[in-house]
Amino acid sequence: YQLKLILDGQQSVALMDSKDLGKWMSDKKLNAYLDRVITKHTKKFEEIGKSVDYGKIVSGSRLFYMGKSYYIEIEKDDCENYKIEFIHSKFKIKTPQNVEQNRLNELIDEFYKNKAMEKITKLVEKYSDIMKLYPQKLYFKKFDTKWASCSASNKVSFNPEVMKLSASLIKYVVIHELA
């Protein structure tokens, strides 16, 4: 593991086994550091990802994805189906001429769920192997107030809106739930 700490104004980077960490610094300093990191990440979570009503979605609206805000471009077409793509740093949404806002909201929710299933499943596999902690099952469902949870029976659920967070915060959520 690589551990980067800034203690008493001094930056240190060390590669070490987690069991050696206790030898390198006191529990008190480690706990203080972890408290600062958790506080910082908690503030980021609150800033970025609260479940929101998307409001009226029009060209020029913005959506968060992977920690950044991107423009939406809506293309009305003579089609019956709705389609969303994330291409060239923007969301492109194809819609029928008569756009239904509730259908756009469902489409966006579906996009986040598909991306969460794709990306988080890979992260869980990667960090499960590293940590030797394997969940029984993964679920992807919306929560009102949390990013993820782990049940007593070792089933892990992720809120698809976690995809609004940056890659480093998504990794943090995955590792936290595995631990």
Side-chain angles (χ1 to χ4, degrees):
Y1 300 102
Q2 181 177 15
L3 180 65
K4 179 179 176 183
L5 297 175
I6 300 173
L7 299 171
D8 303 323
Q10 300 291 323
Q11 180 173 318
S12 301
V13 176
L15 291 172
M16 65 183 65
D17 190 299
S18 57
K19 68 182 176 213
D20 293 331
L21 185 58
K23 297 175 190 172
W24 188 66
M25 67 188 307
S26 70
D27 285 347
K28 185 177 179 180
K29 282 188 176 182
L30 178 60
N31 285 332
Y33 170 73
L34 292 174
D35 284 343
R36 287 193 306 272
V37 169
I38 290 168
T39 300
K40 175 184 165 191
H41 286 307
T42 301
K43 285 179 184 174
K44 277 283 190 196
F45 288 162
E46 290 169 356
E47 284 174 20
I48 294 175
K50 292 181 180 171
S51 290
V52 295
D53 175 5
Y54 301 113
K56 186 170 182 177
I57 302 294
V58 295
S59 285
S61 297
R62 297 181 75 84
L63 288 176
F64 274 102
Y65 179 56
M66 300 298 292
K68 294 181 181 176
S69 177
Y70 295 98
Y71 282 103
I72 297 172
E73 178 184 298
I74 293 184
E75 179 185 324
K76 293 181 181 180
D77 198 358
D78 290 329
C79 61
E80 293 182 24
N81 298 323
Y82 290 74
K83 183 179 178 185
I84 187 170
E85 294 179 296
F86 183 72
I87 244 173
H88 305 297
S89 296
K90 72 173 128 181
F91 286 94
K92 290 191 174 190
I93 302 176
K94 291 187 179 182
T95 69
Q97 292 293 333
N98 295 326
V99 179
E100 296 176 29
Q101 287 296 312
N102 64 334
R103 182 63 187 110
L104 283 178
N105 291 344
E106 290 169 4
L107 187 70
I108 293 165
D109 289 343
E110 204 174 288
F111 172 84
Y112 284 132
K113 185 173 184 175
N114 290 337
K115 290 299 180 181
M117 290 169 64
E118 174 189 326
K119 294 179 185 292
I120 290 175
T121 301
K122 288 178 185 174
L123 287 172
V124 167
E125 289 170 359
K126 175 183 177 179
Y127 288 104
S128 289
D129 287 342
I130 291 169
M131 299 168 70
K132 305 295 184 225
L133 298 168
Y134 302 93
Q136 289 292 318
K137 187 148 176 84
L138 294 180
Y139 295 96
F140 298 90
K141 63 181 184 177
K142 280 187 123 181
F143 294 109
D144 289 333
T145 59
K146 55 187 170 183
W147 294 110
S149 70
C150 184
S151 70
S153 59
N154 202 22
K155 294 175 183 169
V156 182
S157 299
F158 290 95
N159 184 340
E161 290 191 8
V162 76
M163 296 310 299
K164 294 178 180 180
L165 302 174
S166 67
S168 62
L169 290 177
I170 293 170
K171 286 181 200 173
Y172 173 84
V173 171
V174 168
I175 292 168
H176 174 81
E177 293 307 322
L178 290 175

PDB file of all heavy atoms in Angstrom, residues 46-72:
ATOM      1  N   GLU A  46     -21.493  15.593   0.488  1.00  0.00           N
ATOM      2  CA  GLU A  46     -22.619  16.504   0.690  1.00  0.00           C
ATOM      3  C   GLU A  46     -22.718  17.516  -0.441  1.00  0.00           C
ATOM      4  O   GLU A  46     -23.804  17.868  -0.875  1.00  0.00           O
ATOM      5  CB  GLU A  46     -22.494  17.212   2.037  1.00  0.00           C
ATOM      6  CG  GLU A  46     -22.721  16.268   3.207  1.00  0.00           C
ATOM      7  CD  GLU A  46     -22.346  16.874   4.547  1.00  0.00           C
ATOM      8  OE1 GLU A  46     -21.828  18.007   4.591  1.00  0.00           O
ATOM      9  OE2 GLU A  46     -22.568  16.185   5.566  1.00  0.00           O
ATOM     10  N   GLU A  47     -21.571  17.987  -0.946  1.00  0.00           N
ATOM     11  CA  GLU A  47     -21.561  18.974  -2.025  1.00  0.00           C
ATOM     12  C   GLU A  47     -22.101  18.402  -3.323  1.00  0.00           C
ATOM     13  O   GLU A  47     -22.878  19.029  -4.016  1.00  0.00           O
ATOM     14  CB  GLU A  47     -20.127  19.448  -2.319  1.00  0.00           C
ATOM     15  CG  GLU A  47     -19.564  20.413  -1.337  1.00  0.00           C
ATOM     16  CD  GLU A  47     -18.101  20.705  -1.643  1.00  0.00           C
ATOM     17  OE1 GLU A  47     -17.654  20.470  -2.787  1.00  0.00           O
ATOM     18  OE2 GLU A  47     -17.402  21.143  -0.729  1.00  0.00           O
ATOM     19  N   ILE A  48     -21.657  17.209  -3.672  1.00  0.00           N
ATOM     20  CA  ILE A  48     -21.899  16.703  -5.015  1.00  0.00           C
ATOM     21  C   ILE A  48     -23.189  15.920  -5.143  1.00  0.00           C
ATOM     22  O   ILE A  48     -23.961  16.148  -6.051  1.00  0.00           O
ATOM     23  CB  ILE A  48     -20.723  15.815  -5.491  1.00  0.00           C
ATOM     24  CG1 ILE A  48     -19.487  16.661  -5.637  1.00  0.00           C
ATOM     25  CG2 ILE A  48     -21.049  15.119  -6.791  1.00  0.00           C
ATOM     26  CD1 ILE A  48     -18.256  15.883  -5.987  1.00  0.00           C
ATOM     27  N   GLY A  49     -23.436  14.993  -4.236  1.00  0.00           N
ATOM     28  CA  GLY A  49     -24.341  13.965  -4.657  1.00  0.00           C
ATOM     29  C   GLY A  49     -25.687  13.810  -4.038  1.00  0.00           C
ATOM     30  O   GLY A  49     -26.236  12.746  -4.123  1.00  0.00           O
ATOM     31  N   LYS A  50     -26.249  14.814  -3.445  1.00  0.00           N
ATOM     32  CA  LYS A  50     -27.566  14.622  -2.884  1.00  0.00           C
ATOM     33  C   LYS A  50     -28.531  14.214  -3.995  1.00  0.00           C
ATOM     34  O   LYS A  50     -28.450  14.690  -5.109  1.00  0.00           O
ATOM     35  CB  LYS A  50     -28.050  15.915  -2.232  1.00  0.00           C
ATOM     36  CG  LYS A  50     -27.252  16.281  -1.008  1.00  0.00           C
ATOM     37  CD  LYS A  50     -27.780  17.538  -0.391  1.00  0.00           C
ATOM     38  CE  LYS A  50     -26.943  17.867   0.829  1.00  0.00           C
ATOM     39  NZ  LYS A  50     -27.240  19.163   1.371  1.00  0.00           N
ATOM     40  N   SER A  51     -29.448  13.310  -3.646  1.00  0.00           N
ATOM     41  CA  SER A  51     -30.477  12.952  -4.617  1.00  0.00           C
ATOM     42  C   SER A  51     -31.261  14.205  -4.942  1.00  0.00           C
ATOM     43  O   SER A  51     -31.635  14.953  -4.055  1.00  0.00           O
ATOM     44  CB  SER A  51     -31.418  11.902  -4.031  1.00  0.00           C
ATOM     45  OG  SER A  51     -30.758  10.684  -3.911  1.00  0.00           O
ATOM     46  N   VAL A  52     -31.456  14.424  -6.206  1.00  0.00           N
ATOM     47  CA  VAL A  52     -32.136  15.650  -6.608  1.00  0.00           C
ATOM     48  C   VAL A  52     -33.238  15.340  -7.600  1.00  0.00           C
ATOM     49  O   VAL A  52     -33.203  14.339  -8.293  1.00  0.00           O
ATOM     50  CB  VAL A  52     -31.166  16.659  -7.267  1.00  0.00           C
ATOM     51  CG1 VAL A  52     -30.141  17.147  -6.293  1.00  0.00           C
ATOM     52  CG2 VAL A  52     -30.501  16.074  -8.493  1.00  0.00           C
ATOM     53  N   ASP A  53     -34.195  16.233  -7.642  1.00  0.00           N
ATOM     54  CA  ASP A  53     -35.151  16.243  -8.731  1.00  0.00           C
ATOM     55  C   ASP A  53     -34.408  16.978  -9.838  1.00  0.00           C
ATOM     56  O   ASP A  53     -33.916  18.080  -9.637  1.00  0.00           O
ATOM     57  CB  ASP A  53     -36.401  17.003  -8.293  1.00  0.00           C
ATOM     58  CG  ASP A  53     -37.393  17.166  -9.422  1.00  0.00           C
ATOM     59  OD1 ASP A  53     -37.167  16.610 -10.510  1.00  0.00           O
ATOM     60  OD2 ASP A  53     -38.403  17.860  -9.210  1.00  0.00           O
ATOM     61  N   TYR A  54     -34.294  16.388 -10.992  1.00  0.00           N
ATOM     62  CA  TYR A  54     -33.504  16.987 -12.056  1.00  0.00           C
ATOM     63  C   TYR A  54     -34.148  18.255 -12.610  1.00  0.00           C
ATOM     64  O   TYR A  54     -33.533  18.978 -13.358  1.00  0.00           O
ATOM     65  CB  TYR A  54     -33.266  15.971 -13.184  1.00  0.00           C
ATOM     66  CG  TYR A  54     -32.553  14.735 -12.714  1.00  0.00           C
ATOM     67  CD1 TYR A  54     -33.194  13.503 -12.692  1.00  0.00           C
ATOM     68  CD2 TYR A  54     -31.240  14.797 -12.265  1.00  0.00           C
ATOM     69  CE1 TYR A  54     -32.542  12.371 -12.250  1.00  0.00           C
ATOM     70  CE2 TYR A  54     -30.582  13.664 -11.824  1.00  0.00           C
ATOM     71  CZ  TYR A  54     -31.245  12.458 -11.820  1.00  0.00           C
ATOM     72  OH  TYR A  54     -30.603  11.332 -11.383  1.00  0.00           O
ATOM     73  N   GLY A  55     -35.397  18.503 -12.207  1.00  0.00           N
ATOM     74  CA  GLY A  55     -36.082  19.677 -12.734  1.00  0.00           C
ATOM     75  C   GLY A  55     -36.381  19.476 -14.206  1.00  0.00           C
ATOM     76  O   GLY A  55     -36.393  18.357 -14.711  1.00  0.00           O
ATOM     77  N   LYS A  56     -36.623  20.552 -14.905  1.00  0.00           N
ATOM     78  CA  LYS A  56     -36.900  20.448 -16.330  1.00  0.00           C
ATOM     79  C   LYS A  56     -35.578  20.277 -17.075  1.00  0.00           C
ATOM     80  O   LYS A  56     -34.688  21.115 -16.983  1.00  0.00           O
ATOM     81  CB  LYS A  56     -37.638  21.684 -16.837  1.00  0.00           C
ATOM     82  CG  LYS A  56     -38.062  21.557 -18.265  1.00  0.00           C
ATOM     83  CD  LYS A  56     -38.991  22.654 -18.698  1.00  0.00           C
ATOM     84  CE  LYS A  56     -39.378  22.383 -20.143  1.00  0.00           C
ATOM     85  NZ  LYS A  56     -40.325  23.340 -20.646  1.00  0.00           N
ATOM     86  N   ILE A  57     -35.458  19.164 -17.775  1.00  0.00           N
ATOM     87  CA  ILE A  57     -34.242  18.861 -18.533  1.00  0.00           C
ATOM     88  C   ILE A  57     -34.391  19.458 -19.931  1.00  0.00           C
ATOM     89  O   ILE A  57     -35.324  19.123 -20.666  1.00  0.00           O
ATOM     90  CB  ILE A  57     -34.014  17.338 -18.644  1.00  0.00           C
ATOM     91  CG1 ILE A  57     -33.924  16.697 -17.261  1.00  0.00           C
ATOM     92  CG2 ILE A  57     -32.787  17.035 -19.472  1.00  0.00           C
ATOM     93  CD1 ILE A  57     -32.751  17.101 -16.444  1.00  0.00           C
ATOM     94  N   VAL A  58     -33.479  20.354 -20.277  1.00  0.00           N
ATOM     95  CA  VAL A  58     -33.469  20.983 -21.599  1.00  0.00           C
ATOM     96  C   VAL A  58     -32.015  21.036 -22.073  1.00  0.00           C
ATOM     97  O   VAL A  58     -31.095  20.834 -21.278  1.00  0.00           O
ATOM     98  CB  VAL A  58     -34.054  22.424 -21.556  1.00  0.00           C
ATOM     99  CG1 VAL A  58     -35.529  22.396 -21.191  1.00  0.00           C
ATOM    100  CG2 VAL A  58     -33.269  23.306 -20.603  1.00  0.00           C
ATOM    101  N   SER A  59     -31.804  21.317 -23.336  1.00  0.00           N
ATOM    102  CA  SER A  59     -30.432  21.513 -23.803  1.00  0.00           C
ATOM    103  C   SER A  59     -29.809  22.635 -22.986  1.00  0.00           C
ATOM    104  O   SER A  59     -30.429  23.671 -22.767  1.00  0.00           O
ATOM    105  CB  SER A  59     -30.410  21.887 -25.287  1.00  0.00           C
ATOM    106  OG  SER A  59     -30.663  20.755 -26.078  1.00  0.00           O
ATOM    107  N   GLY A  60     -28.601  22.408 -22.518  1.00  0.00           N
ATOM    108  CA  GLY A  60     -27.922  23.389 -21.674  1.00  0.00           C
ATOM    109  C   GLY A  60     -28.010  23.068 -20.195  1.00  0.00           C
ATOM    110  O   GLY A  60     -27.254  23.608 -19.402  1.00  0.00           O
ATOM    111  N   SER A  61     -28.933  22.165 -19.805  1.00  0.00           N
ATOM    112  CA  SER A  61     -28.964  21.697 -18.414  1.00  0.00           C
ATOM    113  C   SER A  61     -27.658  20.954 -18.148  1.00  0.00           C
ATOM    114  O   SER A  61     -26.927  20.603 -19.079  1.00  0.00           O
ATOM    115  CB  SER A  61     -30.142  20.743 -18.188  1.00  0.00           C
ATOM    116  OG  SER A  61     -31.370  21.360 -18.393  1.00  0.00           O
ATOM    117  N   ARG A  62     -27.368  20.678 -16.878  1.00  0.00           N
ATOM    118  CA  ARG A  62     -26.120  20.006 -16.529  1.00  0.00           C
ATOM    119  C   ARG A  62     -26.403  18.806 -15.637  1.00  0.00           C
ATOM    120  O   ARG A  62     -27.344  18.823 -14.855  1.00  0.00           O
ATOM    121  CB  ARG A  62     -25.178  20.974 -15.840  1.00  0.00           C
ATOM    122  CG  ARG A  62     -24.759  22.133 -16.741  1.00  0.00           C
ATOM    123  CD  ARG A  62     -23.806  23.092 -16.057  1.00  0.00           C
ATOM    124  NE  ARG A  62     -22.469  22.575 -15.925  1.00  0.00           N
ATOM    125  CZ  ARG A  62     -21.534  22.632 -16.866  1.00  0.00           C
ATOM    126  NH1 ARG A  62     -21.796  23.188 -18.017  1.00  0.00           N
ATOM    127  NH2 ARG A  62     -20.333  22.148 -16.664  1.00  0.00           N
ATOM    128  N   LEU A  63     -25.562  17.785 -15.764  1.00  0.00           N
ATOM    129  CA  LEU A  63     -25.607  16.611 -14.896  1.00  0.00           C
ATOM    130  C   LEU A  63     -24.201  16.323 -14.381  1.00  0.00           C
ATOM    131  O   LEU A  63     -23.220  16.516 -15.100  1.00  0.00           O
ATOM    132  CB  LEU A  63     -26.080  15.374 -15.671  1.00  0.00           C
ATOM    133  CG  LEU A  63     -27.540  15.287 -16.066  1.00  0.00           C
ATOM    134  CD1 LEU A  63     -27.778  14.031 -16.898  1.00  0.00           C
ATOM    135  CD2 LEU A  63     -28.434  15.284 -14.844  1.00  0.00           C
ATOM    136  N   PHE A  64     -24.134  15.842 -13.142  1.00  0.00           N
ATOM    137  CA  PHE A  64     -22.858  15.390 -12.595  1.00  0.00           C
ATOM    138  C   PHE A  64     -22.584  13.963 -13.048  1.00  0.00           C
ATOM    139  O   PHE A  64     -23.487  13.127 -13.111  1.00  0.00           O
ATOM    140  CB  PHE A  64     -22.877  15.413 -11.065  1.00  0.00           C
ATOM    141  CG  PHE A  64     -22.520  16.741 -10.486  1.00  0.00           C
ATOM    142  CD1 PHE A  64     -23.511  17.580 -10.013  1.00  0.00           C
ATOM    143  CD2 PHE A  64     -21.210  17.149 -10.412  1.00  0.00           C
ATOM    144  CE1 PHE A  64     -23.190  18.810  -9.468  1.00  0.00           C
ATOM    145  CE2 PHE A  64     -20.867  18.368  -9.870  1.00  0.00           C
ATOM    146  CZ  PHE A  64     -21.865  19.206  -9.401  1.00  0.00           C
ATOM    147  N   TYR A  65     -21.310  13.709 -13.363  1.00  0.00           N
ATOM    148  CA  TYR A  65     -20.861  12.357 -13.693  1.00  0.00           C
ATOM    149  C   TYR A  65     -19.368  12.289 -13.401  1.00  0.00           C
ATOM    150  O   TYR A  65     -18.611  13.147 -13.853  1.00  0.00           O
ATOM    151  CB  TYR A  65     -21.157  12.036 -15.161  1.00  0.00           C
ATOM    152  CG  TYR A  65     -20.710  10.666 -15.605  1.00  0.00           C
ATOM    153  CD1 TYR A  65     -21.141   9.525 -14.936  1.00  0.00           C
ATOM    154  CD2 TYR A  65     -19.853  10.501 -16.678  1.00  0.00           C
ATOM    155  CE1 TYR A  65     -20.737   8.269 -15.341  1.00  0.00           C
ATOM    156  CE2 TYR A  65     -19.444   9.248 -17.088  1.00  0.00           C
ATOM    157  CZ  TYR A  65     -19.891   8.134 -16.414  1.00  0.00           C
ATOM    158  OH  TYR A  65     -19.485   6.874 -16.809  1.00  0.00           O
ATOM    159  N   MET A  66     -18.975  11.316 -12.621  1.00  0.00           N
ATOM    160  CA  MET A  66     -17.570  11.088 -12.261  1.00  0.00           C
ATOM    161  C   MET A  66     -16.917  12.361 -11.697  1.00  0.00           C
ATOM    162  O   MET A  66     -15.773  12.679 -11.989  1.00  0.00           O
ATOM    163  CB  MET A  66     -16.783  10.551 -13.452  1.00  0.00           C
ATOM    164  CG  MET A  66     -17.297   9.222 -13.992  1.00  0.00           C
ATOM    165  SD  MET A  66     -17.213   7.855 -12.817  1.00  0.00           S
ATOM    166  CE  MET A  66     -15.459   7.632 -12.655  1.00  0.00           C
ATOM    167  N   GLY A  67     -17.665  13.081 -10.878  1.00  0.00           N
ATOM    168  CA  GLY A  67     -17.106  14.218 -10.158  1.00  0.00           C
ATOM    169  C   GLY A  67     -17.133  15.543 -10.899  1.00  0.00           C
ATOM    170  O   GLY A  67     -16.659  16.542 -10.382  1.00  0.00           O
ATOM    171  N   LYS A  68     -17.673  15.566 -12.107  1.00  0.00           N
ATOM    172  CA  LYS A  68     -17.709  16.806 -12.880  1.00  0.00           C
ATOM    173  C   LYS A  68     -19.121  17.053 -13.397  1.00  0.00           C
ATOM    174  O   LYS A  68     -19.916  16.131 -13.525  1.00  0.00           O
ATOM    175  CB  LYS A  68     -16.742  16.735 -14.068  1.00  0.00           C
ATOM    176  CG  LYS A  68     -15.291  16.654 -13.658  1.00  0.00           C
ATOM    177  CD  LYS A  68     -14.399  16.619 -14.872  1.00  0.00           C
ATOM    178  CE  LYS A  68     -12.935  16.507 -14.438  1.00  0.00           C
ATOM    179  NZ  LYS A  68     -12.055  16.388 -15.586  1.00  0.00           N
ATOM    180  N   SER A  69     -19.379  18.295 -13.735  1.00  0.00           N
ATOM    181  CA  SER A  69     -20.673  18.699 -14.267  1.00  0.00           C
ATOM    182  C   SER A  69     -20.569  18.817 -15.786  1.00  0.00           C
ATOM    183  O   SER A  69     -19.647  19.454 -16.296  1.00  0.00           O
ATOM    184  CB  SER A  69     -21.062  20.050 -13.653  1.00  0.00           C
ATOM    185  OG  SER A  69     -22.269  20.506 -14.201  1.00  0.00           O
ATOM    186  N   TYR A  70     -21.495  18.183 -16.500  1.00  0.00           N
ATOM    187  CA  TYR A  70     -21.461  18.172 -17.962  1.00  0.00           C
ATOM    188  C   TYR A  70     -22.774  18.690 -18.548  1.00  0.00           C
ATOM    189  O   TYR A  70     -23.846  18.490 -17.978  1.00  0.00           O
ATOM    190  CB  TYR A  70     -21.218  16.753 -18.479  1.00  0.00           C
ATOM    191  CG  TYR A  70     -19.874  16.195 -18.098  1.00  0.00           C
ATOM    192  CD1 TYR A  70     -19.739  15.344 -17.005  1.00  0.00           C
ATOM    193  CD2 TYR A  70     -18.740  16.529 -18.816  1.00  0.00           C
ATOM    194  CE1 TYR A  70     -18.503  14.830 -16.647  1.00  0.00           C
ATOM    195  CE2 TYR A  70     -17.496  16.014 -18.470  1.00  0.00           C
ATOM    196  CZ  TYR A  70     -17.384  15.172 -17.388  1.00  0.00           C
ATOM    197  OH  TYR A  70     -16.163  14.669 -17.039  1.00  0.00           O
ATOM    198  N   TYR A  71     -22.659  19.308 -19.703  1.00  0.00           N
ATOM    199  CA  TYR A  71     -23.829  19.820 -20.412  1.00  0.00           C
ATOM    200  C   TYR A  71     -24.653  18.687 -21.008  1.00  0.00           C
ATOM    201  O   TYR A  71     -24.129  17.637 -21.362  1.00  0.00           O
ATOM    202  CB  TYR A  71     -23.417  20.751 -21.563  1.00  0.00           C
ATOM    203  CG  TYR A  71     -23.018  22.119 -21.096  1.00  0.00           C
ATOM    204  CD1 TYR A  71     -21.678  22.472 -21.020  1.00  0.00           C
ATOM    205  CD2 TYR A  71     -23.971  23.055 -20.713  1.00  0.00           C
ATOM    206  CE1 TYR A  71     -21.298  23.733 -20.580  1.00  0.00           C
ATOM    207  CE2 TYR A  71     -23.611  24.317 -20.265  1.00  0.00           C
ATOM    208  CZ  TYR A  71     -22.260  24.647 -20.208  1.00  0.00           C
ATOM    209  OH  TYR A  71     -21.890  25.878 -19.755  1.00  0.00           O
ATOM    210  N   ILE A  72     -25.938  18.990 -21.149  1.00  0.00           N
ATOM    211  CA  ILE A  72     -26.864  18.087 -21.832  1.00  0.00           C
ATOM    212  C   ILE A  72     -27.240  18.730 -23.161  1.00  0.00           C
ATOM    213  O   ILE A  72     -27.547  19.913 -23.223  1.00  0.00           O
ATOM    214  CB  ILE A  72     -28.154  17.894 -20.997  1.00  0.00           C
ATOM    215  CG1 ILE A  72     -27.842  17.239 -19.661  1.00  0.00           C
ATOM    216  CG2 ILE A  72     -29.181  17.079 -21.789  1.00  0.00           C
ATOM    217  CD1 ILE A  72     -29.027  17.208 -18.723  1.00  0.00           C
TER     218      ILE A  72
END
